[in-house]
Amino acid sequence: MPRFSVKWVVAVVLIVVVGGAFLFCEYLIYFPTILKCAWPKISHARGGEGIDGHPMDSTVRAMVLSDTHLLGAVGGHWFDKLRREWQMERAFQTALWLLRPEIVFILGDIFDEGKWSSQKHWEDDVRRFNRMFRHSTDTELVVLVGNHDIGFHYEMDWFKLQRFEKVFNASSTRIVTKKGVNFLLVNSVALHGDGCPICQSVEKELIKLSRDLNCSLQSGSGVMDGCEGSQLYPPTPPIMLQHYPLYRVSDAGCTGQDAAPPEERHLLFREKYDVLSKEASQRLLQWFKPRLILSGHTHSGCEVLHDNKYPEISVPSFSWRNRNNPSFILATVSPGSYTLSKCFLPEESTVISVYCSAGACLLLLFLAHCLWMKGLLQCLSLCLLGKHKSL
């Protein structure tokens, strides 16, 4: 084979191996993985009337993810930032394109260093977030506040909270209603119960929302005692979303491939740090009687039933930085029912294995090329030596 032909073959194989590995790992891998996911269906008779006159088949398709932790300027290495943010951007954009959710909730800890970032660094973090989680007008994006966004209770202040609320153009504690479904958003960082100014403000707002929802439920039954001046919502118990989980002793009862590692499940949770306090958890359950609670913070998945009637789902982190197998929740919700499914993203270990395999192929190709060239040189040497002897 002519020498130039060998070089071309080597170059083509090199491009195919390197380019194929890059294209698969950085773009294509997300499609077959997310294509396995589908919106769960609610089982009920179609065409009937639901709560507040909404059809029984009037459902909301909600995508729920948590703990994106966009790295900041202080503790974020540039390569770590590039790698993990690209993973989240491709995963989110692919999920939007394939699944078409009507509303997306991110359950706090959007940023990793919001609690101490300067205004310049904060603006850079927000710019990157807006690029990564861009979406069409057909999809509503709702963001909750977490401890890394404004700091733990002892670190938060009005400046950080209002800076966060200004960026996302909404109060951190409110109700979002869509197709007759009430989504209650709770600023769980401020439920410390020590009477701090932000805590008092959030608790006051929660009491008002509780009264409004209870009056709305009474209006559905035709009874309206002491509800003058209340804002009415669809008469259905809310789905409660927050960053901190409600109080539980540990993750010992959690199972599944996205649960905490076995060696960590029996570690006791600290109230007001890992989970809400018992008192704050009971107040929320008494005030709102939610039909479902969705929370984040732990970076691992878990299902808990509080008081034998209030189910809570802890949503794992969306980032490779926090776990090898990120995931998110797909929720199909109607005014009277809901159903959930979990969608797993590509595992980081799979991507690393593909790149390692591609590297091994390149090494073998290089060695084969060297051996072939060595053999060619030996043949040429023997030929030249033979001619020399004949002379």
Side-chain angles (χ1 to χ4, degrees):
M1 183 182 293
R3 188 174 179 181
F4 72 89
S5 298
V6 174
K7 288 185 176 180
W8 277 107
V9 170
V10 171
V12 169
V13 173
L14 182 68
I15 292 171
V16 169
V17 172
V18 174
F22 179 83
L23 185 64
F24 176 75
C25 291
E26 306 305 327
Y27 289 93
L28 300 181
I29 192 173
Y30 297 97
F31 286 90
T33 306
I34 296 177
L35 275 172
K36 297 177 183 177
C37 308
W39 291 102
K41 295 182 179 180
I42 296 177
S43 300
H44 51 53
R46 297 175 62 87
E49 289 296 314
I51 295 176
D52 198 28
H54 290 273
M56 285 291 288
D57 57 356
S58 177
T59 59
V60 179
R61 293 183 304 177
M63 175 177 165
V64 185
L65 54 114
S66 187
D67 292 88
T68 51
H69 284 273
L70 273 70
L71 293 175
V74 178
H77 187 274
W78 69 267
F79 183 75
D80 191 13
K81 189 183 297 185
L82 173 69
R83 186 78 204 96
R84 272 57 187 271
E85 290 184 6
W86 176 254
Q87 167 257 323
M88 288 191 287
E89 180 177 352
R90 293 318 317 152
F92 184 76
Q93 295 302 323
T94 305
L96 284 190
W97 192 70
L98 294 176
L99 299 171
R100 308 285 184 183
E102 296 171 76
I103 189 167
V104 177
F105 295 99
I106 306 182
L107 303 181
D109 278 3
I110 313 303
F111 308 107
D112 197 56
E113 298 179 2
K115 55 188 178 181
W116 59 53
S117 60
S118 67
Q119 189 61 27
K120 178 183 177 182
H121 293 152
W122 170 262
E123 290 172 357
D124 179 63
D125 293 344
V126 170
R127 177 187 56 79
R128 290 180 3 251
F129 173 85
N130 289 333
R131 184 199 72 234
M132 293 165 56
F133 294 94
R134 62 191 180 274
H135 55 93
S136 69
T137 54
D138 296 332
T139 299
E140 181 179 359
L141 179 64
V142 179
V143 171
L144 283 76
V145 69
N147 57 287
H148 276 266
D149 302 313
I150 62 173
F152 283 98
H153 171 265
Y154 60 89
E155 298 171 305
M156 71 175 180
D157 55 41
W158 283 112
F159 171 76
K160 295 173 188 174
L161 177 60
Q162 290 170 355
R163 181 172 69 173
F164 184 91
E165 293 180 336
K166 181 179 179 181
V167 164
F168 297 106
N169 196 30
S171 168
S172 61
T173 300
R174 67 191 192 277
I175 291 175
V176 173
T177 300
K178 204 169 187 70
K179 293 185 179 179
V181 178
N182 296 317
F183 296 97
L184 171 66
L185 315 183
V186 177
N187 179 354
S188 54
V189 183
L191 296 181
H192 214 66
D194 64 350
C196 76
I198 296 178
C199 301
Q200 288 180 344
S201 175
V202 168
E203 187 166 326
K204 181 179 178 181
E205 183 62 26
L206 286 171
I207 291 172
K208 178 184 178 299
L209 292 175
S210 172
R211 180 175 180 271
D212 291 344
L213 282 172
N214 288 329
C215 288
S216 300
L217 290 170
Q218 290 180 30
S219 70
S221 61
V223 180
M224 290 286 287
D225 293 333
C227 290
E228 296 80 7
S230 296
Q231 180 176 346
L232 294 183
Y233 295 95
T236 176
I239 291 179
M240 190 164 72
L241 302 100
Q242 57 193 43
H243 181 64
Y244 281 116
L246 296 182
Y247 175 79
R248 61 178 184 259
V249 174
S250 67
D251 272 351
C254 306
T255 57
Q257 64 187 98
D258 60 352
E263 65 273 13
E264 297 179 9
R265 292 181 196 175
H266 292 275
L267 298 177
L268 299 181
F269 283 145
R270 294 163 290 180
E271 293 185 59
K272 305 178 183 180
Y273 189 87
D274 299 310
V275 293
L276 288 179
S277 67
K278 293 179 183 178
E279 293 77 12
S281 301
Q282 283 303 310
R283 282 202 304 271
L284 287 174
L285 294 177
Q286 291 169 7
W287 285 343
F288 297 104
K289 298 177 174 55
R291 50 179 169 145
L292 173 67
I293 304 108
L294 295 168
S295 61
H297 189 58
T298 65
H299 299 171
S300 300
C302 190
E303 297 183 19
V304 182
L305 188 63
H306 299 280
D307 298 342
N308 294 317
K309 55 182 174 181
Y310 302 117
E312 177 181 10
I313 307 294
S314 288
V315 182
S317 174
F318 194 67
S319 172
W320 275 344
R321 187 170 185 262
N322 298 319
R323 57 182 309 108
N324 181 52
N325 59 338
S327 62
F328 57 91
I329 296 289
L330 294 176
T332 303
V333 189
S334 73
S337 185
Y338 69 86
T339 182
L340 309 175
S341 67
K342 191 166 288 183
C343 184
F344 284 91
L345 301 179
E347 296 184 358
E348 186 176 32
S349 57
T350 301
V351 172
I352 293 173
S353 297
V354 172
Y355 276 128
C356 289
S357 299
C361 289
L362 291 178
L363 180 61
L364 291 174
L365 178 65
F366 176 75
L367 292 175
H369 179 64
C370 290
L371 291 174
W372 186 87
M373 291 299 295
K374 183 178 180 181
L376 180 62
L377 290 173
Q378 288 177 347
C379 289
L380 290 173
S381 299
L382 289 173
C383 289
L384 291 173
L385 183 62
K387 288 182 179 179
H388 179 73
K389 287 182 176 180
S390 62
L391 292 173

